Amino acid sequence: MPATTHLKSLQALELAIRSGSLKAAADRLGITPAAVGQRIRALEDYLGADLLMRGRSGLQPTPELSHALGDLHVAFAALERVTETLDFQRVSEIQIVADTDWAELWLAPLLPAFRQDHPNILFCINGAGDVPLRLGAPDVRVGYGNGRDEPLFSDVFLPFSGPDNLRRIAGRDPSIQMEGMPLLHLKAQLEESGPPGWVEWFQAFGHRESGPDRGVRYQHMRLALEAVRQNVGFLVCGLSLVQRDLEEGLVVNPFAMSQHLIAPHPYRLKLRQDIDKRPQLQSFAAWLRNEASETRKYIEKTVAQA
């Protein structure tokens, strides 16, 4: 096993134990839970022993791992301190771990403008980009959910479809206008703590009496939106993530803007503590807050026109 893979596997293992789940470890690393599981399984295959088991309070170490767990925690705590101490060598880099949909559909289209003004700043976003992922805490973390981190903006969720799909529901009884129509879902929308989706939207506004959770399920919004553009089906999505598609006519809102759901939680921002020593990070944080403010204004204006 190559040393880099070995180290990444140990990092995934340590985070999974410390956080109690593969999902929480994945959020920290900016990869999928499946990728975390693959890294840990690779290490288990290499060692020929199981390292994790599920307990009532989350993931627990097997006896084989328990003997090494203390050293594992100490080692990665030390690596994080070393990363912070030597970070002056990477002053032109910004490492970002973020909600995947937000990073792909909100941040990515806006980032070229920032890069044009700051061509010497290099990025690693969720493990990919100009520079490789480094160990330790990221410079910027953005996630959707509850917590104490700084709120960026709150989204609103409403249905979208491809333009050709409008004729499929035209002239139908409004009370069952969406009955039998193909629904697209994000897997997260069908989880208790996930963003709102079709189940919540039909409960609030009607238009369908059966099967609100039926249909194709997608891991990421990018894939679901591509299906929407191809008129495959109807999707409930955050307005901030489809702004450009909506403005270009690639997707349409088949119902009144007033029929929207406010996201229970905002996107939240967390910056590394020594931001005052990193002018490139200060510039990016200021730009990010300004773009988030523009998105808030867009959402408020669009909803107010309903």
Side-chain angles (χ1 to χ4, degrees), residues 4-296:
T4 53
T5 302
H6 184 83
L7 187 59
K8 287 182 178 180
S9 295
L10 286 170
Q11 182 189 32
L13 177 65
E14 194 273 336
L15 278 174
I17 287 291
R18 184 167 15 130
S19 62
S21 73
L22 297 183
K23 184 178 185 304
D27 290 341
R28 290 286 305 275
L29 292 171
I31 58 179
T32 65
V36 173
Q38 289 170 359
R39 291 184 183 183
I40 294 174
R41 282 193 296 275
L43 188 59
E44 290 176 327
D45 292 342
Y46 178 75
L47 297 173
D50 292 333
L51 300 174
L52 293 179
M53 58 184 178
R54 292 193 177 276
R56 293 182 178 179
S57 58
L59 295 177
Q60 301 294 328
T62 61
E64 290 80 3
L65 176 59
S66 295
H67 300 295
L69 194 57
D71 288 338
L72 190 64
H73 288 321
V74 170
F76 274 95
L79 278 173
E80 289 189 3
R81 290 195 299 272
V82 169
T83 299
E84 293 176 0
T85 301
L86 298 180
D87 197 54
F88 67 88
Q89 296 177 354
R90 310 177 68 138
V91 293
S92 64
E93 298 179 12
I94 295 179
Q95 298 266 336
I96 301 173
V97 171
D99 175 271
T100 302
D101 294 333
W102 179 90
E104 292 180 344
L105 298 173
W106 188 88
L107 179 62
L110 295 171
L111 196 56
F114 177 84
R115 296 176 70 111
Q116 185 173 358
D117 293 335
H118 303 83
N120 295 323
I121 296 180
L122 306 177
F123 287 90
C124 178
I125 302 173
N126 289 343
D130 309 313
V131 290
L133 177 70
R134 67 168 181 243
L135 295 176
D139 302 310
V140 179
R141 185 183 297 279
V142 176
Y144 166 83
N146 198 6
R148 297 181 179 180
D149 295 335
E150 175 187 347
L152 281 176
F153 63 86
S154 293
D155 216 339
V156 297
F157 283 72
L158 59 163
F160 295 97
S161 73
D164 290 348
N165 269 335
L166 292 182
R167 60 179 176 79
R168 303 177 68 178
I169 60 174
R172 303 187 77 190
D173 182 348
S175 64
I176 55 171
Q177 198 168 9
M178 289 292 292
E179 199 69 43
M181 291 296 105
L183 303 181
L184 310 180
H185 308 266
L186 286 184
K187 291 181 179 179
Q189 290 176 323
L190 299 172
E191 299 173 359
E192 185 176 346
S193 60
W198 279 119
V199 173
E200 294 81 3
W201 193 86
F202 286 132
Q203 287 176 348
F205 304 110
H207 300 287
R208 186 171 176 135
E209 297 178 346
S210 64
D213 59 347
R214 296 175 188 165
V216 183
R217 304 181 182 193
Y218 295 86
Q219 185 69 37
H220 298 299
M221 187 71 75
R222 170 177 52 82
L223 301 175
L225 272 178
E226 182 57 35
V228 171
R229 297 183 193 111
Q230 299 299 322
N231 296 286
V232 172
F234 297 76
L235 173 73
V236 170
C237 179
L239 180 58
S240 72
L241 304 184
V242 297
Q243 178 179 348
R244 285 151 197 83
D245 284 80
L246 198 60
E247 292 172 345
E248 294 174 13
L250 299 177
V251 303
V252 295
N253 174 25
F255 300 98
M257 282 287 182
S258 59
Q259 295 186 348
H260 66 267
L261 300 172
I262 299 175
H265 307 295
Y267 290 106
R268 293 184 178 276
L269 169 67
K270 183 177 182 179
L271 301 169
R272 59 182 297 154
Q273 294 181 348
D274 63 347
I275 185 174
D276 58 321
K277 301 177 183 178
R278 301 188 35 125
Q280 85 282 7
L281 186 53
Q282 291 177 353
S283 297
F284 180 73
W287 173 84
L288 189 62
R289 290 181 176 117
N290 180 71
E291 292 298 331
S293 176
E294 291 300 314
T295 296
R296 284 197 301 272

Side-chain angles (χ1 to χ4, degrees), residues 294-305:
E294 291 300 314
T295 296
R296 284 197 301 272
K297 294 176 184 177
Y298 167 76
I299 292 173
E300 292 170 359
K301 180 180 178 181
T302 303
V303 172
Q305 293 174 346

